[in-house]
Amino acid sequence: MMGSKVSWKRRVTRAAYILVFNVVLWIAIPSLLGEVLSQTLPSTPLSSASFIYAFGAVITALQTLAALTEGMAVSVPFNSGGYIASAYYIWAATEGGNLSFSTSGLNIALGFAPIVFLLMLPALFGAVRMPILFLLEQSEVARAIPDEI
Amino acid sequence: MKTEHTTAAGSLRAVALAITVVSIVTFVAVGYSAYSDVSGVISVSRSGSSAVTAKTVTSGNSATLYLNASIANGGLLPLKVSLSCQSQPNITCTPGSLTLAPGQSGVLKFQLTIANATQFGSNPSSLHINGTLIAELVPFATLTVGVDLGSLLSGGGG
């Protein structure tokens, strides 16, 4: 897909879909979760609107720019950056899988680091996959060009 | 050349799909296990059955709390439960630990002995023993609850 011709109509349509999807995934859903969790877990980063909006805006912007530059080399850093930002967002929002709070005189601590790792894994793999695919395509293009003597 | 690239891209896509499938299966297994274990504990406590029994026995100056809890693992993952307490002067704690395979049930036994219990006789609420209850869905999630075991003793057990 990287080296192939992609029309601007396709890019804009995809970017619009990705924009809406990312706003729902990284801003709307975490905001709702933050509202629910802020009563029992006031220390969670999800209870901070600025945390959600800042990360949501960064991830959405990177993914949208990646869709708008589809087929160009510049889409690779946008894509990888978006994936890395979303992996970090998951880690920061869950405090690395360690949450603690007090309720009814009980001190409760939740540890779920392996689950956080599993949540981050698809994003981290995506961050590596994009440059590999780009390099594979570039090597293919380079091989196809005959040597000039 | 084209085949090489297509194979590599296909393999990467297959790995991404495998990671997603494994993640979804794990989340479903952990979620179902947590739900069935928690709902099992809630239904037992609501039914008023003697799933958890606390008995205080006094002999001379010392008082011993025997705590037995029947636990059933209705989930898909092994469940590890342990109850321990901080050692303090005059207080001896025998921690209880239990690992249950899916579908198994067992009894968690915990014992706490206070050597000089008479000093708390007039004011049992002044007795504070930091206990720690750990429930672990091996190996994915751990729940640690800090409880005051002294309240169990001063409450006379239950």
Side-chain angles (χ1 to χ4, degrees):
Chain A
M1 201 55 80
M2 210 73 68
S4 57
K5 284 261 179 192
V6 183
S7 68
W8 274 104
K9 190 185 169 188
R10 183 195 147 97
R11 282 179 184 151
V12 172
T13 314
R14 258 195 106 213
Y17 279 124
I18 284 172
L19 180 78
V20 172
F21 178 75
N22 277 285
V23 165
V24 172
L25 186 65
W26 302 114
I27 297 174
I29 294 173
S31 296
L32 286 172
L33 265 175
E35 268 180 42
V36 175
L37 290 174
S38 60
Q39 287 152 8
T40 46
L41 283 167
S43 65
T44 179
L46 284 180
S47 60
S48 154
S50 58
F51 171 84
I52 294 170
Y53 290 130
F55 270 99
V58 168
I59 296 166
T60 307
L62 286 168
Q63 299 276 13
T64 310
L65 282 169
L68 279 173
T69 55
E70 190 185 339
M72 302 176 196
V74 76
S75 75
V76 176
F78 285 142
N79 250 321
S80 290
Y83 280 127
I84 291 167
S86 55
Y88 181 73
Y89 180 86
I90 291 166
W91 184 81
T94 55
E95 293 183 56
N98 292 300
L99 295 172
S100 52
F101 57 98
S102 295
T103 179
S104 312
L106 297 171
N107 296 318
I108 298 170
L110 281 167
F112 51 98
I115 295 174
V116 173
F117 174 68
L118 271 176
L119 276 169
M120 288 167 67
L121 199 58
L124 290 173
F125 183 73
V128 178
R129 191 169 72 114
M130 287 299 158
I132 291 174
L133 278 176
F134 177 72
L135 289 172
L136 280 169
E137 271 196 27
Q138 289 306 300
S139 68
E140 187 190 312
V141 171
R143 281 187 200 178
I145 299 167
D147 292 338
E148 284 178 31
I149 303 167
Chain B
M1 229 115 54
K2 187 79 184 166
T3 321
E4 252 179 55
H5 167 249
T6 322
T7 313
S11 305
L12 287 170
R13 201 169 294 123
V15 172
L17 184 71
I19 288 171
T20 310
V21 169
V22 167
S23 301
I24 290 168
V25 169
T26 309
F27 297 143
V28 170
V30 172
Y32 175 77
S33 297
Y35 170 76
S36 51
D37 288 336
V38 170
S39 61
V41 169
I42 290 170
S43 65
V44 161
S45 61
R46 274 187 186 160
S47 68
S49 66
S50 56
V52 181
T53 54
K55 194 171 72 177
T56 312
V57 177
T58 49
S59 122
N61 271 355
S62 70
T64 307
L65 168 76
Y66 296 95
L67 190 73
N68 293 333
S70 299
I71 302 162
N73 182 9
L76 301 168
L77 296 168
L79 177 69
K80 194 176 174 183
V81 187
S82 66
L83 181 62
S84 59
C85 74
Q86 242 174 23
S87 57
Q88 290 174 39
N90 294 332
I91 294 171
T92 315
C93 181
T94 312
S97 180
L98 187 68
T99 304
L100 297 168
Q104 271 189 348
S105 57
V107 180
L108 178 75
K109 289 177 181 172
F110 175 79
Q111 196 180 315
L112 178 73
T113 308
I114 302 165
N116 194 6
T118 45
Q119 62 179 312
F120 302 104
S122 56
N123 187 15
S125 60
S126 65
L127 183 61
H128 293 291
I129 304 160
N130 291 330
T132 309
L133 174 72
I134 300 171
E136 189 178 353
L137 278 175
V138 184
F140 294 106
T142 310
L143 172 75
T144 309
V145 184
V147 285
D148 184 10
L149 292 168
S151 61
L152 277 174
L153 272 172
S154 56

